[in-house]
Amino acid sequence: MSSTSQPKDTTETESLPPHLDPQTYPRTLTTAHGPNQSPIHLELTYTPLSPTTALSTISSPSNGANVLFLGTTRDTFEDRPVAQLSYTSYPALALKSLNRIATDAVGEFGLGAVYIAHRLGVVPVGEASIIVAVGAGHRGETWRGAEKVLEVVKERVEIWKREEFVDGGMEWRENRERDSSGRKKGEAT
């Protein structure tokens, strides 16, 4: 008696590499840094981001100022209607880079806490793709610290963005291509 094998459903048997498989997320790193052991929480996730979680993570009796930044998907890019964004990352390297950025900010600005979360996969219009939240004793260091963290994240972290347009077109972009006002770096103001 000979045995015959049935063709396998490749969608069921082929698996995604772990860094692309949403089932292996969230990926988090929580550490403490500096003389006051300021908590740092970093996260890469495929699920919607929570501003409430970010604020509760950085809040403490010694942080009199807390700043929260949400970067959300806009409905247009250069007058072209956007359907959604899609993000991908190499998580081990991205978390290492995020940790360096956060620890540097704690040291430079005396921050009492840092929270950075970035969404991966599809991020629909109106939903947050990044949260940066920082806490410190006073507003000056929190404003400057949060802005610095965000700008360095966009310049250095191993996260790539694909803009998907309503007309079906798609374009990969690096966050480092644009300044904080959305202008292509090197363009006149």
Side-chain angles (χ1 to χ4, degrees):
M1 202 150 93
S2 72
S3 71
T4 60
S5 62
Q6 296 290 324
K8 294 181 180 178
D9 180 357
T10 58
T11 58
E12 293 293 322
T13 58
E14 287 182 24
S15 62
L16 292 170
H19 72 280
L20 294 176
D21 184 356
Q23 301 296 327
T24 66
Y25 286 80
R27 305 274 180 98
T28 61
L29 177 62
T30 301
T31 63
H33 185 74
N36 297 327
Q37 290 298 290
S38 301
I40 295 172
H41 178 82
L42 311 168
E43 183 172 344
L44 299 171
T45 185
Y46 280 82
T47 59
L49 302 177
S50 169
T52 303
T53 299
L55 285 173
S56 67
T57 301
I58 64 163
S59 294
S60 80
S62 60
N63 290 341
N66 297 292
V67 169
L68 172 73
F69 172 84
L70 296 175
T72 58
T73 301
R74 287 187 312 279
D75 62 358
T76 58
F77 179 78
E78 295 182 341
D79 298 324
R80 202 168 164 197
V82 171
Q84 62 191 18
L85 299 179
S86 182
Y87 291 89
T88 190
S89 174
Y90 182 60
L93 199 50
L95 286 169
K96 184 177 179 179
S97 295
L98 288 169
N99 192 48
R100 169 59 37 214
I101 292 164
T103 56
D104 287 352
V106 166
E108 182 177 350
F109 298 99
L111 300 177
V114 178
Y115 180 102
I116 308 168
H118 206 296
R119 181 110 171 251
L120 301 175
V122 171
V123 182
V125 170
E127 290 191 18
S129 57
I130 186 170
I131 291 178
V132 172
V134 302
H138 303 281
R139 68 182 178 274
E141 50 266 349
T142 58
W143 284 118
R144 290 188 305 276
E147 182 175 32
K148 176 83 177 260
V149 166
L150 178 64
E151 294 306 318
V152 178
V153 164
K154 291 195 163 271
E155 288 173 11
R156 296 189 189 155
V157 176
E158 297 77 9
I159 296 173
W160 301 275
K161 171 174 66 175
R162 183 176 68 200
E163 289 180 326
E164 300 176 8
F165 298 99
V166 172
D167 65 14
M170 295 181 200
E171 291 183 31
W172 283 99
R173 302 207 189 277
E174 290 182 274
N175 284 322
R176 68 191 88 201
E177 295 173 354
R178 304 232 167 224
D179 67 16
S180 62
S181 296
R183 289 184 298 271
K184 197 166 199 172
K185 289 188 178 174
E187 282 183 355
T189 57

